[in-house]
């Protein structure tokens, strides 16, 4: 806060001048104004962040980030990331929804997940 004009500790050219009482009072008043503005801003931020739609959006962002980071960690050894495959995935999802193939696509995805799960268990020797 010392780099704000009017709030420096040693104003003037020399920097070592003693402040007069009126200069110190003016500086303290400006600091008080900045403090009050900061408090008002913090209160407004808390009020905004406690709204249900903002809480829902924040929770959705957190869940999306958690899922994306988990997928990225799985794909990391292959050199692929979610950001690189997302355009292809969006195209495929758009095609599936336009052709009304959502239920068959979910069935195929479940079948593929079952095969992958079985192969994973077989590879680790649990089957």
């Amino acid at each position: 806060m010392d780099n704000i004009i009017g709030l420096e500790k040693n104003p003037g050219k020399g920097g070592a001048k003693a402040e007069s009482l009126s200069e110190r009072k003016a500086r303290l008043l400006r600091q008080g104004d900045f403090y009050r503005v900061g408090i008002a801003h913090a209160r407004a931020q808390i009020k905004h962040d406690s709204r249900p739609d903002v809480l829902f959006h924040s929770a959705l962002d957190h869940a999306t980030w958690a899922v994306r980071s988990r997928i990225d960690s799985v794909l990391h050894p292959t050199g692929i990331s979610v950001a690189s495959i997302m355009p292809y995935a969006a195209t495929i999802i758009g095609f599936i929804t336009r052709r009304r193939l959502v239920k068959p696509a979910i069935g195929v995805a479940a079948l593929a997940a079952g095969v992958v799960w079985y192969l994973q268990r077989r590879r680790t020797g649990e089957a």
Side-chain angles (χ1 to χ4, degrees), residues 65-122:
W65 178 83
V67 169
R68 182 178 174 165
S69 66
R70 179 62 59 107
I71 293 171
D72 272 340
S73 68
V74 168
L75 293 175
H76 183 69
T78 64
I80 301 172
S81 69
V82 172
S84 65
I85 63 170
M86 210 46 161
Y88 305 111
T91 303
I92 292 168
I93 290 170
F95 175 78
I96 289 171
T97 55
R98 273 194 311 276
R99 301 285 180 145
R100 299 180 191 263
L101 299 172
V102 175
K103 287 182 182 177
I106 291 173
V108 169
L111 184 64
V115 168
V116 168
W117 175 76
Y118 174 74
L119 292 175
Q120 184 72 19
R121 276 190 62 186
R122 193 169 141 214

Side-chain angles (χ1 to χ4, degrees), residues 26-75:
R27 185 170 53 87
L28 286 172
L29 286 173
R30 283 191 297 275
Q31 285 177 344
D33 288 342
F34 282 121
Y35 180 75
R36 281 188 292 281
V37 167
I39 294 294
H41 183 269
R43 287 182 68 202
Q45 187 71 30
I46 290 170
K47 189 174 181 180
H48 175 266
D49 289 347
S50 64
R51 291 185 2 217
D53 57 332
V54 175
L55 287 171
F56 175 74
H57 186 74
S58 176
L60 190 64
D61 283 346
H62 181 73
T64 304
W65 178 83
V67 169
R68 182 178 174 165
S69 66
R70 179 62 59 107
I71 293 171
D72 272 340
S73 68
V74 168
L75 293 175

